[in-house]
Amino acid sequence: MAIDRRLERSEAVARYGLIGRSLGHSFSQRYFTEKFAREGRTAARYDLFELAEVSELPDLIRNTPGLRGLNVTIPYKQTVVPLLSELDPVAAAVGAVNTIAIHADGRTTGHNTDVEGFRVTLQPLLERLAKRDTDIRPRALVLGNGGASRAVAYVLREAGIRFRIVSRDRTMGDLTWEQLDRTVVGVCPLIINATPLGTFPDVDDAPPLPYNAIGPDHLLIDLVYNPEETLFLKRGKVQGATTANGLTMLHAQAEAAWRIWEAE
């Protein structure tokens, strides 16, 4: 029976998509639609599925013929976990999922390709700064405590970088926003924005930092990619910091997700 279902899947339109609560900011549909066109995959499509609650996921899977894979975005990267059949080892270690593989037998496996995406983003930046004799490895600030923040923390541990999580609630992180004074920001030369602050259309928002404590030795990474230069990055650049947006991460995690889906 499993063989028959795989044959059916190979002949039907292969469907993929993104789940989240509000998806107007997302570039994922355009990215995959253009990818399918370049590769001549006329029997593949990628859609946006806005879910008011993550509990709607099982119905979405049941009622969407040909659905083979999903990406997951805010605010469901953590709350989706109990709804899945299993997690791969990285997703289990991170405690968050941004990619779901839907198997022919109906099982679902959660993956975290944000880890690969942030790893690909961070390493070249560290190497570039090392050539300038700038050592940013000792300390980092991770702004936000959601699913993306967990992936960032996983990669920082891999790289041996000490970090603190910043959250509105002290019980959910190491520091609150109110504790980010000039001293804290000054001694943490790597700052990663893992919150949605500054995402289109709210482009006038930025994490509440003492930006005058940022200088040329700082590296600011924003996981937001729409707009390409957020207010957070603009303010850091004015202070002389090296800056990077979330586009590299977006592309790397998307390609990692595609490799997972293709392996099915």
Side-chain angles (χ1 to χ4, degrees), residues 6 31 123 127 159 170 176 180 200 202 205 222 251 254:
R6 281 195 292 269
Y31 183 88
Q123 192 56 42
E127 292 171 358
R170 181 64 184 269
T176 64
L180 294 185
F200 179 85
D202 300 317
D205 288 345
D222 202 332
H251 295 166

Side-chain angles (χ1 to χ4, degrees), residues 22-235:
S22 177
L23 303 178
H25 69 283
S26 175
F27 286 173
S28 295
Q29 184 177 42
R30 189 179 80 186
Y31 183 88
F32 279 104
T33 299
E34 291 175 352
K35 178 180 177 65
F36 296 155
R38 286 195 308 271
E39 298 182 2
R41 296 177 178 270
T42 57
R45 59 178 289 181
Y46 190 101
D47 297 293
L48 302 180
F49 300 106
E50 291 193 346
L51 305 182
E53 301 292 339
V54 72
S55 58
E56 297 174 18
L57 176 62
D59 285 341
L60 172 68
I61 293 174
R62 277 194 298 269
N63 298 327
T64 310
L67 191 59
R68 300 188 183 184
L70 291 166
N71 292 127
V72 184
T73 191
I74 296 171
Y76 300 141
K77 291 185 179 185
Q78 293 169 261
T79 55
V80 75
V81 169
L83 300 176
L84 304 176
S85 306
E86 58 193 15
L87 301 181
D88 86 331
V90 172
V94 173
V97 164
N98 79 316
T99 299
I100 301 170
I102 302 168
H103 306 280
D105 62 4
R107 289 180 304 110
T108 52
T109 301
H111 301 262
N112 194 303
T113 66
D114 279 340
V115 166
E116 175 65 14
F118 187 66
R119 188 186 289 136
V120 168
T121 298
L122 180 64
Q123 192 56 42
L125 294 169
L126 293 179
E127 292 171 358
R128 188 191 314 167
L129 291 180
K131 294 177 181 177
R132 291 168 36 188
D133 295 324
T134 300
D135 182 11
I136 68 163
R137 290 184 180 274
R139 293 185 183 179
L141 292 173
V142 182
L143 310 181
N145 67 330
S149 172
R150 286 172 172 258
V152 168
Y154 183 95
V155 175
L156 293 178
R157 290 190 190 99
E158 276 187 336
I161 298 174
R162 293 178 293 166
F163 63 90
R164 291 183 174 184
I165 303 289
V166 181
S167 172
R168 287 175 294 182
D169 185 343
R170 181 64 184 269
T171 64
M172 303 295 289
D174 304 303
L175 299 169
T176 64
W177 293 102
E178 291 75 18
Q179 292 174 298
L180 294 185
D181 57 21
R182 286 180 51 85
T183 300
V184 172
V185 171
V187 299
C188 294
L190 174 57
I191 305 177
I192 302 107
N193 179 33
T195 78
L197 290 170
T199 303
F200 179 85
D202 300 317
V203 296
D204 293 328
D205 288 345
L209 304 176
Y211 287 91
N212 57 1
I214 294 171
D217 289 340
H218 277 79
L219 168 59
L220 273 56
I221 302 176
D222 202 332
L223 304 194
V224 173
Y225 56 83
N226 181 14
E228 291 189 16
E229 186 174 55
T230 60
L231 186 57
F232 168 68
L233 295 184
K234 289 178 181 177
R235 288 179 173 175

Side-chain angles (χ1 to χ4, degrees), residues 252-264:
Q253 67 84 16
E255 290 301 319
W258 180 244
R259 291 193 294 271
I260 290 167
W261 297 332
E262 280 281 83
E264 290 300 313

